[in-house]
């Protein structure tokens, strides 16, 4: 059994679908201390939701999650991070190695299908260096440089090195030799990759090592060089009824999600834009009641409803100014907006018994899941690269949890259609 620790909810599902579409049965679980794991899948992923935590909290969560996976009988481990290295990267890698009493991990950040490539240690997004991409503007973890080795060295006490593309393309045997050589003097080795073929070579070379880390993309190639699954295909067994419309929640302000919500609205889906300024003042409950009542009427009539955070730059700026006056950081403001969207989701789900929900944005997805008391899900089927549908564990519910920067322009339209195909009214 493979054990994965992921630092956010959408990332957990992202790597889950990579293993799943290669034939493995996968389940994603929300981290809880002293949780027990039932061995009914090839891959168990624990979502620590630690990307926005303090380094000490992130270390503690990953250390404990790794211990839980080891106790459950996992023999291979994967530390899933953001594909652009945002978050508590170094301390989370260290936490996994410390708990396992290991001192070496292979790292691959490349995700060619989503435009992430690494060449000579320099990481790019759709051809742009990290500091020239939209991730330079991340409010919590701005990416101000592109050299992965340099980024990681600032976050770990262990030694870091890189293996470049020239070596990768000599084939798996030569790459494995380079990895073994690096292991003598370094604890982390970051490996270049530009194409899916490069990832195939990395998987072949890395399959015998106990700890891997990085983006989800390598998870698609690993099952090809590991034992086959003995579990049945979950997608063929899903049977859920729901006469309500599909609820779509969007808290992400990324360009990708903006395009996706625009496309969804243009397709005819009814939208409710939340005034984020009111979330921060005394009008919170009034705004909550207004959004809830309007959405409830539509959903009950079978209409799909999008509830989204305001993405107008002027309103976003005014919201930040209000928050600043109240002493809130941008992280706190973001979490308050996610909390509002999750509270609406919870109220609607409880009153209408909703069984189909789409959430856009990593923090939004995690917050929605916590409010709905979702402890985890089985991966069902990939909708778009890195974004699957999930069957909630111990609940009759289907969810789609999307990272803000993932998915094509029509993703949300496809996600709604996909959930309808899996259910009947």
């Amino acid at each position: 059994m493979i054990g994965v620790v992921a630092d956010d909810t959408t990332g957990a599902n992202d790597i889950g679908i990579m293993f799943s579409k290669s034939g493995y049965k996968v389940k994603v679980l929300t981290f809880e201390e002293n949780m027990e794991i039932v061995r009914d899948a090839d891959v168990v992923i624990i979502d620590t939701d630690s990307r926005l935590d303090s380094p000490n909290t992130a270390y503690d969560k990953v250390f404990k999650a790794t211990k839980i996976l080891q106790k459950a009988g996992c023999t291979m481990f994967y530390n899933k991070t953001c594909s652009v290295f945002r978050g508590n990267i170094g301390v989370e890698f260290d936490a996994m190695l410390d708990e396992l009493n290991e001192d070496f991990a292979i790292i691959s950040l490349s995700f060619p299908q989503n435009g992430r490539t690494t060449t000579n240690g320099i990481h790019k997004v759709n051809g742009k260096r990290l500091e020239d991409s939209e991730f330079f503007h991340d409010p919590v973890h701005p990416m101000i440089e592109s050299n992965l080795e340099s980024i990681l060295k600032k976050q770990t006490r262990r030694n870091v090195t890189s293996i470049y593309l020239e070596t990768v393309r000599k084939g798996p045997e030569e790459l494995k030799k380079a990895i073994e050589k690096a292991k003598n003097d370094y604890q982390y080795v970051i490996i270049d990759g530009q194409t899916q073929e490069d990832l195939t070579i990395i998987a072949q070379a890395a399959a015998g090592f106990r700890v891997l880390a990085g983006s989800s993309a390598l998870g698609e190639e690993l099952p090809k060089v590991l034992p086959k699954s003995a579990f049945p295909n979950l997608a063929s067994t899903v049977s859920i009824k729901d006469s309500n419309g599909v609820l779509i929640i969007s808290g992400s302000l990324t360009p990708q999600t903006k395009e996706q919500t625009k496309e969804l609205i243009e397709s005819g889906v009814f939208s409710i834009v939340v005034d984020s300024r009111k979330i921060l003042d005394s009008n919170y409950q009034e705004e909550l009641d207004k959004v809830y009542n309007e959405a409830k009427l539509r959903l009950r009539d079978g209409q799909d409803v999008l509830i989204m955070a305001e993405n107008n730059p002027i309103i976003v700026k005014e919201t930040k100014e209000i928050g600043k006056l109240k002493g809130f950081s941008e992280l706190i403001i973001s979490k308050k907006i996610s909390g509002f969207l999750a509270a609406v989701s919870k109220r609607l789900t409880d009153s209408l018994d909703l069984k189909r929900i789409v959430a856009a944005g990593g923090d939004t997805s995690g917050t929605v899941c916590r409010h709905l008391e979702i402890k985890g899900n089985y991966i069902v089927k990939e909708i778009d690269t890195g974004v699957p549908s999930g069957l909630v564990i111990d609940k009759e519910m289907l969810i789609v949890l999307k990272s803000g920067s993932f998915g094509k322009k029509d993703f949300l339209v496809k996600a709604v259609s996909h959930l309808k195909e899996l259910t009947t009214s």
Side-chain angles (χ1 to χ4, degrees):
M1 189 163 67
I2 300 171
V4 181
V5 178
D7 66 352
D8 80 341
T9 304
T10 54
N13 281 276
D14 170 18
I15 192 167
I17 191 59
M18 293 300 164
F19 282 109
S20 178
K21 68 182 181 180
S22 291
Y24 278 16
K25 185 179 180 183
V26 180
K27 68 176 176 182
V28 178
L29 302 171
T30 301
F31 170 73
E32 292 181 345
E33 293 198 29
N34 303 314
M35 61 195 291
E36 296 289 334
I37 293 178
V38 177
R39 298 187 63 175
D40 61 350
D42 301 291
V43 181
V44 179
I45 303 167
I46 296 180
D47 165 29
T48 55
D49 191 35
S50 51
R51 184 174 300 173
L52 302 181
D53 285 333
S54 69
N56 286 342
T57 299
Y59 180 96
D60 187 57
K61 284 183 176 180
V62 173
F63 187 91
K64 290 174 179 175
T66 304
K67 182 187 288 289
I68 291 165
L69 290 170
Q70 187 167 213
K71 183 180 177 182
C74 293
T75 55
M76 185 175 184
F77 297 83
Y78 203 112
N79 196 311
K80 162 68 178 71
T81 70
C82 172
S83 60
V84 296
F85 244 21
R86 291 176 299 171
N88 297 294
I89 307 299
V91 295
E92 295 202 9
F93 287 175
D94 287 347
M96 178 171 278
L97 290 187
D98 289 349
E99 162 53 28
L100 294 173
N101 197 27
E102 291 280 342
D103 215 22
F104 186 72
I106 295 169
I107 302 165
S108 171
L109 259 286
S110 302
F111 195 161
Q113 294 180 60
N114 264 339
R116 278 71 163 158
T117 60
T118 312
T119 307
N120 295 328
I122 302 300
H123 203 54
K124 294 182 179 181
V125 179
N126 296 320
K128 294 181 179 180
R129 295 167 68 106
L130 285 183
E131 68 264 31
D132 298 322
S133 73
E134 68 260 32
F135 297 104
F136 173 81
H137 303 286
D138 187 280
V140 183
H141 298 289
M143 303 311 297
I144 59 175
E145 61 178 318
S146 304
N147 188 301
L148 297 180
E149 188 176 322
S150 174
I151 293 170
L152 183 54
K153 281 179 176 178
K154 292 180 175 72
Q155 298 188 39
T156 179
R157 63 184 182 276
R158 290 179 164 93
N159 295 326
V160 185
T161 190
S162 300
I163 294 176
Y164 295 156
L165 203 60
E166 179 184 5
T167 302
V168 174
R169 292 187 174 169
K170 289 179 181 178
E173 291 186 8
E174 289 300 315
L175 177 57
K176 189 169 185 177
K177 288 179 184 177
I179 294 170
E180 292 285 4
K181 183 178 179 181
K183 190 177 179 182
N184 293 327
D185 300 303
Y186 299 92
Q187 288 77 57
Y188 296 123
V189 57
I190 302 170
I191 303 179
D192 276 4
Q194 282 188 341
T195 66
Q196 201 66 25
E197 289 73 23
D198 295 333
L199 293 181
T200 300
I201 293 170
I202 295 170
Q204 290 171 342
F209 292 88
R210 194 179 184 204
V211 185
L212 308 179
S215 79
S216 65
L218 196 61
E220 184 173 0
E221 300 302 321
L222 285 169
K224 299 173 185 177
V225 292
L226 296 174
K228 300 299 181 184
S229 171
F231 295 97
N233 187 331
L234 182 63
S236 61
T237 65
V238 174
S239 178
I240 292 176
K241 292 184 178 182
D242 190 0
S243 60
N244 296 297
V246 177
L247 174 62
I248 308 99
I249 299 291
S250 176
S252 172
L253 299 180
T254 63
Q256 293 88 342
T257 300
K258 284 183 180 180
E259 276 198 339
Q260 291 159 4
T261 53
K262 183 174 182 288
E263 186 84 0
L264 186 65
I265 293 168
E266 290 177 351
S267 76
V269 169
F270 184 78
S271 64
I272 302 173
V273 180
V274 175
D275 190 334
S276 52
R277 296 168 298 186
K278 293 182 179 179
I279 295 174
L280 302 182
D281 60 28
S282 58
N283 293 305
Y284 178 96
Q285 191 60 46
E286 178 186 331
E287 184 72 3
L288 183 65
D289 292 340
K290 174 188 171 185
V291 173
Y292 165 75
N293 289 327
E294 191 167 8
K296 182 179 179 181
L297 288 173
R298 302 274 181 171
L299 289 164
R300 190 169 55 193
D301 286 343
Q303 295 182 55
D304 305 322
V305 175
L306 164 67
I307 301 175
M308 60 183 287
E310 177 64 76
N311 59 25
N312 182 307
I314 295 174
I315 305 299
V316 171
K317 182 181 179 182
E318 290 178 1
T319 301
K320 290 180 179 179
E321 289 172 350
I322 292 170
K324 187 175 181 180
L325 289 173
K326 292 180 176 291
F328 299 150
S329 66
E330 289 196 14
L331 174 59
I332 295 299
I333 294 170
S334 175
K335 284 191 170 294
K336 284 184 176 293
I337 294 171
S338 294
F340 178 94
L341 294 172
V344 174
S345 304
K346 169 69 172 169
R347 198 166 161 189
L348 289 168
T349 300
D350 287 350
S351 63
L352 297 174
D353 192 24
L354 298 180
K355 300 183 185 301
R356 300 175 296 191
I357 296 176
V358 180
D363 187 47
T364 300
S365 295
T367 308
V368 167
C369 285
R370 286 191 294 277
H371 274 66
L372 297 182
E373 298 179 339
I374 292 174
K375 303 300 183 184
N377 64 272
Y378 292 99
I379 299 295
V380 178
K381 188 176 181 181
E382 185 174 46
I383 303 170
D384 215 341
T385 302
V387 193
S389 53
L391 176 65
V392 176
I393 295 172
D394 297 330
K395 286 180 184 280
E396 196 177 59
M397 178 184 288
L398 291 163
I399 56 172
V400 176
L401 307 173
K402 186 195 84 72
S403 170
S405 61
F406 276 24
K408 298 183 178 67
K409 184 179 179 181
D410 63 347
F411 174 78
L412 291 178
V413 175
K414 288 166 61 178
V416 171
S417 176
H418 170 74
L419 291 185
K420 289 180 176 179
E421 289 171 1
L422 289 176
T423 54
T424 60
S425 56

